[in-house]
Amino acid sequence: SKPLTLLLSSYEAVNWVISSDDQTVIDNLEIESVQAIAYDYQTTTISVSSDFTLTNGQSVSYAYDSSWNAGYGYGDDSGGGSTAKLLYNTPEKLGDYAYS
């Protein structure tokens, strides 16, 4: 299987924790990178269990960073956010394989 890129999105600060108790998942999942997009990016964190192979690290970006062009998911977007813009910009940022 090919390495997986996880894209996480939030408005509020979140402590994202990537882990699994399922040994089959741990043995068969290679995570290329984990990226989080957040409006409250300064206090958003990512923790990936050392059980997983993480080849290219992790990063947290501000939702209004020019590379994401103000795209971030926020529920139904009724109070802000732009999930559609985030999804539109994902292939440009992560490559065409992002949805495969």
Side-chain angles (χ1 to χ4, degrees):
S1 66
K2 62 183 176 180
L4 179 69
T5 296
L6 299 176
L7 176 61
L8 311 169
S9 178
S10 66
Y11 184 84
E12 300 294 334
V14 175
N15 178 24
W16 296 100
V17 178
I18 313 301
S19 66
S20 177
D21 293 331
D22 186 332
Q23 193 61 44
T24 302
V25 171
I26 292 169
D27 291 343
N28 293 295
L29 181 63
E30 181 181 346
I31 302 172
E32 181 173 341
S33 67
V34 180
Q35 298 186 31
I37 308 302
Y39 182 77
D40 191 357
Y41 73 101
Q42 293 174 321
T43 54
T44 293
T45 62
I46 303 171
S47 301
V48 179
S49 169
S50 61
D51 293 333
F52 290 110
T53 301
L54 181 63
T55 56
N56 284 329
Q58 58 198 32
S59 65
V60 177
S61 299
Y62 180 45
Y64 285 94
D65 178 306
S66 61
S67 66
W68 281 102
N69 196 20
Y72 59 96
Y74 181 57
D76 64 4
D77 290 336
S78 63
S82 178
T83 301
K85 187 182 282 188
L86 172 67
L87 294 173
Y88 179 81
N89 290 330
T90 297
E92 180 181 326
K93 183 76 171 170
L94 300 180
D96 289 336
Y97 65 91
Y99 297 113
S100 59

